[in-house]
Amino acid sequence: MESNNDQRTVLTEEQDGAVAQSIELGKRQIQQEIATGRIPPTVTDFARLHDFVDANEFGGLCEDEGEWNRLFPRTSAAEEDAFCEAANRVQEALGKWLAASVERNALLVEKLVEDALNAACLSVQDGLKVSAGDVAGVFFSGSQKEAFQAMFARYVLCEISWMAEEEGD
């Protein structure tokens, strides 16, 4: 989205607040899309998001109802400029966050680590013909669970790093 003028449009305090909320919503939405597999965990460029989803929708920018339509009506050129400025700010912030933060993969890492722990426990329980997971629940609590999660999170991030390097080749 581009603004029609060369100067940055000044937004109201309420509009600035909506931009900040949209940035946080957009981050959560991107994390969710990565966790569900719609966006690869190696994507670090906002423009590449368009290969997988309609990235213009992140942050609620395209919702028909809600704050954006109220705060950014588009009935004049000046209002259109304000909308474009705000949308650009959201997308620029999401682009910087996506490029500089492993936080984008936080939900995916959390899900994969939990799946790994469950699979490992199930394998042991099946092999021992154990019908209940009570011991696993007790054993993998507190520091034991934290140690497992930390180790596997590092492993998942290592795999993602290798994926990114292979994509670069």
Side-chain angles (χ1 to χ4, degrees), residues 110-142:
E110 183 180 313
K111 177 190 178 305
L112 293 174
V113 168
E114 191 67 26
D115 289 351
L117 178 57
N118 290 337
C121 291
L122 181 61
S123 178
V124 169
Q125 292 162 0
D126 284 350
L128 296 174
K129 312 261 187 282
V130 173
S131 60
D134 297 346
V135 173
V138 171
F139 185 83
F140 286 106
S141 63

Side-chain angles (χ1 to χ4, degrees), residues 18-19 21-27 29-30 55-63 68 90 94:
V19 167
Q21 288 177 343
S22 291
I23 292 166
E24 292 309 309
L25 174 60
K27 289 176 183 179
Q29 290 170 323
I30 291 169
N56 292 325
E57 293 184 4
F58 287 130
L61 303 182
C62 296
E63 291 178 3
W68 273 80
V90 170
L94 291 176

Side-chain angles (χ1 to χ4, degrees), residues 2-115:
E2 272 187 39
S3 179
N4 291 334
N5 62 30
D6 294 332
Q7 299 177 10
R8 285 184 80 100
T9 302
V10 176
L11 302 180
T12 68
E13 188 175 324
E14 191 176 15
Q15 288 172 326
D16 277 333
V19 167
Q21 288 177 343
S22 291
I23 292 166
E24 292 309 309
L25 174 60
K27 289 176 183 179
R28 289 189 306 273
Q29 290 170 323
I30 291 169
Q31 288 175 325
Q32 191 64 40
E33 295 295 336
I34 291 171
T36 61
R38 288 187 64 199
I39 298 172
T42 55
V43 172
T44 58
D45 180 9
F46 190 85
R48 266 205 68 219
L49 292 174
H50 290 287
D51 294 344
F52 309 99
V53 296
D54 184 353
N56 292 325
E57 293 184 4
F58 287 130
L61 303 182
C62 296
E63 291 178 3
D64 291 333
E65 301 295 323
E67 286 295 291
W68 273 80
N69 278 344
R70 184 180 71 76
L71 293 173
F72 301 100
R74 290 176 269 173
T75 58
S76 70
E79 289 175 343
E80 185 70 34
D81 285 346
F83 173 83
C84 289
E85 175 65 28
N88 285 338
R89 288 183 192 182
V90 170
Q91 292 180 350
E92 287 169 14
L94 291 176
K96 288 177 184 174
W97 172 80
L98 192 61
S101 174
V102 295
E103 185 182 303
R104 70 183 179 278
N105 293 319
L107 290 178
L108 174 64
V109 170
E110 183 180 313
K111 177 190 178 305
L112 293 174
V113 168
E114 191 67 26
D115 289 351

